Amino acid sequence: MAAKEPNQELTIDDLKTEMKLTDEQLNTAIQEPDLPELAACFDNTDDYLEKLELSPGQKTDVSEVKAKTRLNRTQAGMKLALEYWQNKNQLQATFQALLLVILSLLKGDVAVQVCKYLSDKYSTSCPPSRERVLLNHKLSSYRDYLQSRYRTQVSTSATQWPPVPTKKCFKLAMIQKEEIQRGRIDDEFVRLSITGKIDDILLQKTPVNLTNIFSEIGNRRNFVLIEGAPGSGKSTLALHICQEWAEGKLFQEFDIAILVKLRDPLVREAITISDLLPCTHKAMANETETAIMSLYGKGVLWVLDGWDELPSDLPRDSIINKLIRPDMSRESPLHESAVIVTSRPSSSAKLHPRVSSRVEVLGFTPHELEQYFKECLKGDSQAVQTLLERIRENPVVEGSCYLPLNASIVVNCFLSDNHSLPTSNHGIFISVIQSSLKRYLQDRLGKTTPVGDITSPDSLPSEIRTQTVQMCQLAYHGIEANKATFTDGDLAALRITKEISNVGLLQTVPSIISDGHLVYYCFLHLSIQELLAAIHISLMSPKQQISVFQKLFGNPRFSAVFQFYAGITKLSTSRPILSLLPRFLCPVPATVFDLVRKVVKSEKEKKYGEPKPLLLSLINCLYEAEDSSLCVFVANLLNHNLHLDNTTMNPIDCLSVGYFASACSNTSNGFTLSLISCSIGDQGCKFLARGLSKCSQSEISLNLSNNDFQEEGIHHIAEIIENTSSISKLVLSFNAIGNSGLSTLCEALSTNTSLKSLDFSECSLSLNDHGAIPRLLSTNTTLEDLTLSRNVIGNTELKNICEALSTITSLKSLNLTNCSLTISDDNGAALYQLLNTNNSLEHLNLSNNTVTSCRHIAAELAVNKTLRTLYLDFCQLTDQSIEELSTGLINKIERLDIDGNDSITEDGMKTLARHLTTHCSELTRLWIPRHLRSCIETVFRDANKERKRNGLPEIV
């Protein structure tokens, strides 16, 4: 539609032209409704986004293609009409005419929802109404250009190397920052799909459709961070978003969707919006920039792919910094824009406070992996099973195949190398490099020469030796400068020829921004660059190698390069036996030990509970190096305590940690392994069990609290117990193991002779005459500490447990906090008998249960000779309860907790204090209800004076 003069009124003919409607079509409109009824459409708060898809059978009987065409035309007309909403003299003519058009094209509720949707989008406009119309017209040509460009841009084909899955299947999880989950996550989706690549383990993750990643934000700015592990498909997803927008299938609320590859060198220099825009002509970029700035970015979706590939030396005045500023105020030139950013989790921490929501790209579940292999192997079931068996034989490969890129590499190795597979994590990517070199020799040079060992360039054929060495040099230069892309100037500065791009590992990429007038170079994948850089470092002298890593320490990609380096060199660089001695006794030259010390020191300085990804990376390196002596060296630096709490762990991480603990268990020192809230899941338990399978001799304390594993994970934990004799303490709290998992574990523990401490807190147990715990207690002769807190035990099961404990001499601590117990004169006889007959129990915790009478407890306490601590917090005790309890406090009790019992008054405290002046000679710690803390300075002050005169210790 031609642009109108500023004062020219918008007519029905204009709408007809814009929407390409004839008079005959308009005359078929249904009967005109009253304006108040039309206005009511805009108050409808039903969910309209889903209905905008307008698929067949969804409130309309037209075909999907025709429905989408009608919707697009309706949007165009509604946009123009609502620009005049505030113009009262235009309200009736334009709005009435447009509603007639909508209601003639669409049926019933769909029309209502479309009105609501378009009203929300276009009713508020910063520029004057007429200006907005003109600006939208200016954007239309650029919108057409982008749509045409995205439709013709093709993702990597499955026939190319490295291949990708032919089916686009993006499984996403929304990470909720508001809803803290301090326990397990029960969602079925989480059990099947969450692979755990994000640091915020205590935050709830819920499945989310790509179409809804903006709708769940609410009133916050539309700024979405999409995170995923290397090879999870983030870049493919970014292109997919823009292609779906171009096809009218996704995010149609945005006028334009602009894909910006942050690796593009021109991005580093971009100062204005026009510098970022992919355009055929500069004039179009300038005109589009004017429109975007005038609209404050409204209607624009920026898709910024590869935050982790952005140079660290980005200029302060870069337009990227304006798009991702934390203070996107109303005065900011782009505050109405929506932004999607993709990144590796290891590089995106600084974005977390700025984004309105975070989304995780998830990998393959075991079922999806099998389906993908069936697709690649063309339905050959026998070949699929053979491949899966080969994968299961190697835990490293199995643990990395959840990533689509790794899975595609593995299946192609299987097809091309006589069903052989790589055997290590770095071997997966070495196979990519070897395959590319092999293709280059065959397709370009017509040679069938064996490729040789790429980690030793001297063994390579002369035809590819120089190119390989130069690629390694370029990769290292990029890591050192934190660059993922290179220009002709970078190649010239390093005296590297452009011909290396012919090998296939280095791509020549036309800059989107300059529309092909500038090219840059990048490796097929960041992991390829990191592996080649590691090879380059491994070829240096030992002294240079350590010096390089000392310099790279703190570099965002240090960990990845160091892990590949460990796999290549086995960390054998310059490690004389003298390095094991303290430095002050025998100073030695810089070695890998110095680098290890630096890593451990930096992670030990972190606050308690703070994630330690660098330390985890070091543990992975030790697994790649396969040197138990180096593991012992690190264990000594850690004082035989490895705490990785709140550090996200994937299956390979779990395998490496298990291997590390096994290597350290062969020493005389005990070892503590704490993996609280690491989101290891059932798969993680499987690989942890494999790593721990060689534990021996030393005692290991293993804390797996809050790790989202369930019955399947418990089967693998049972394997650890059955295959090792080292686990002395096991904490499984806050995992939904359930009654079946409990039975499995107790059966494994029945013959265990090393376990001393077992924690089942909040494990979704509902026990009442279940029998698993009593059977365990009757067969296990070493258990000293049992915690069953926050499960439904029931009085019947309590009776069975107490009966089993009556003759046991090993158990010293029993924790039954919040187990739905009721202890009264009529209930609890078994507990009373336990206190009377058990000769080993020293600690009893009954907190958060209902204790209506303490008469029998006091009677048995009076004869008990072993109990040292008694917890009765939040048990609904009264002054009467305190009076009854006092009569039994004549034994060896050292600590008594009665906090949280709000019914106790100061009179109750006086009763207790009078009794304590002459009794309970061992009592030194007393916790009373908070509302009575003033009694410490009054009632118990006088009691302590009397105790002192009687030769008793002071109570604090």
Side-chain angles (χ1 to χ4, degrees), residues 230 234 263 306 308-309 344 347 405 429 479 483-485 522-532 557 560-561 564:
K234 300 182 296 296
R263 64 168 57 177
D308 49 318
E309 300 178 58
R344 288 184 183 186
S347 302
L405 176 63
F429 290 96
I479 296 296
K483 292 168 59 175
T485 57
C522 65
F523 289 94
L524 287 176
H525 196 269
L526 290 181
S527 296
I528 298 293
Q529 180 186 356
E530 290 154 355
L531 174 57
L532 290 173
R557 297 163 74 181
V561 175
F564 281 131

Side-chain angles (χ1 to χ4, degrees), residues 505-524:
L505 291 171
L506 195 71
Q507 302 177 99
T508 304
V509 184
S511 173
I512 294 178
I513 297 176
S514 67
D515 199 28
H517 298 301
L518 175 75
V519 298
Y520 61 90
Y521 307 91
C522 65
F523 289 94
L524 287 176

Side-chain angles (χ1 to χ4, degrees), residues 6-279:
N7 295 324
Q8 185 176 351
E9 292 184 354
L10 183 70
T11 65
I12 294 179
D13 288 336
D14 295 330
L15 294 174
K16 287 164 51 182
T17 302
E18 176 70 21
M19 300 179 71
K20 302 177 183 178
L21 296 173
T22 64
D23 288 330
E24 182 178 357
Q25 287 175 307
L26 188 59
N27 290 335
T28 61
I30 64 174
Q31 183 177 357
E32 174 182 337
D34 294 332
L35 280 177
E37 294 179 15
L38 296 178
C41 294
F42 293 86
D43 295 327
N44 192 315
T45 57
D46 291 341
D47 181 19
Y48 50 81
L49 287 176
E50 182 179 345
K51 295 181 181 178
L52 282 177
E53 290 297 328
L54 298 177
S55 57
Q58 193 171 25
K59 299 295 184 180
T60 177
D61 56 1
V62 299
S63 69
E64 184 174 12
V65 174
K66 193 172 291 184
K68 289 183 180 297
T69 301
R70 291 179 176 182
L71 175 60
N72 290 336
R73 292 177 177 176
T74 303
Q75 281 184 293
M78 194 67 173
K79 186 187 303 183
L80 292 171
L82 290 176
E83 291 299 339
Y84 284 81
W85 178 268
Q86 297 173 348
N87 241 338
K88 298 301 182 182
N89 61 331
Q90 292 292 321
L91 172 62
Q92 185 166 343
T94 57
F95 187 50
Q96 182 178 359
L98 183 63
L99 260 294
L100 287 172
V101 173
I102 292 176
L103 294 171
S104 66
L105 290 176
L106 306 173
K107 292 187 177 183
D109 290 343
V110 175
V112 173
Q113 305 302 338
V114 171
C115 291
K116 172 71 172 75
Y117 168 69
L118 295 173
S119 172
D120 286 348
K121 186 176 189 307
Y122 297 110
S123 60
T124 302
S125 179
C126 297
S129 299
R130 173 58 62 183
E131 182 182 348
R132 175 62 186 269
V133 175
L134 297 175
L135 292 174
N136 284 331
H137 181 69
K138 285 183 179 181
L139 288 177
S140 62
S141 59
Y142 187 58
R143 177 171 57 247
D144 294 340
Y145 167 79
L146 285 177
Q147 289 174 338
S148 175
R149 187 186 189 97
Y150 295 145
R151 290 188 186 113
T152 57
Q153 193 167 351
V154 181
S155 301
T156 305
S157 169
T159 61
Q160 294 178 304
W161 188 267
V164 296
T166 57
K167 294 180 180 179
K168 292 180 181 178
C169 178
F170 300 106
K171 189 163 72 275
L172 308 175
M174 182 75 74
I175 301 174
Q176 305 290 353
K177 291 190 288 188
E178 296 82 7
E179 301 178 25
I180 303 297
Q181 296 291 302
R182 300 201 178 278
R184 63 191 178 277
I185 302 174
D186 292 325
D187 192 275
E188 177 71 14
F189 169 83
V190 175
R191 292 203 296 271
L192 294 177
S193 307
I194 292 292
T195 54
K197 302 300 168 295
I198 309 299
D199 293 337
D200 299 88
I201 305 308
L202 293 181
L203 303 184
Q204 183 183 23
K205 299 176 183 178
T206 55
V208 61
N209 292 324
L210 183 59
T211 54
N212 296 332
I213 62 174
F214 286 117
S215 62
E216 299 191 14
I217 291 175
N219 295 325
R220 295 171 291 172
R221 180 175 180 250
N222 289 343
F223 188 178
V224 176
L225 171 62
I226 298 181
E227 297 174 298
S232 60
K234 300 182 296 296
S235 294
T236 306
L237 175 60
L239 176 58
H240 173 74
I241 288 171
C242 293
Q243 289 178 328
E244 292 290 284
W245 169 83
E247 295 291 339
K249 301 176 182 178
L250 184 67
F251 298 149
Q252 294 304 289
E253 64 267 34
F254 299 109
D255 297 318
I256 53 176
I258 304 173
L259 176 62
V260 180
K261 295 285 187 180
L262 296 181
R263 64 168 57 177
D264 194 322
L266 291 182
V267 170
R268 308 171 197 170
E269 306 166 8
I271 304 301
T272 65
I273 289 178
S274 63
D275 295 335
L276 281 182
L277 299 178
C279 281

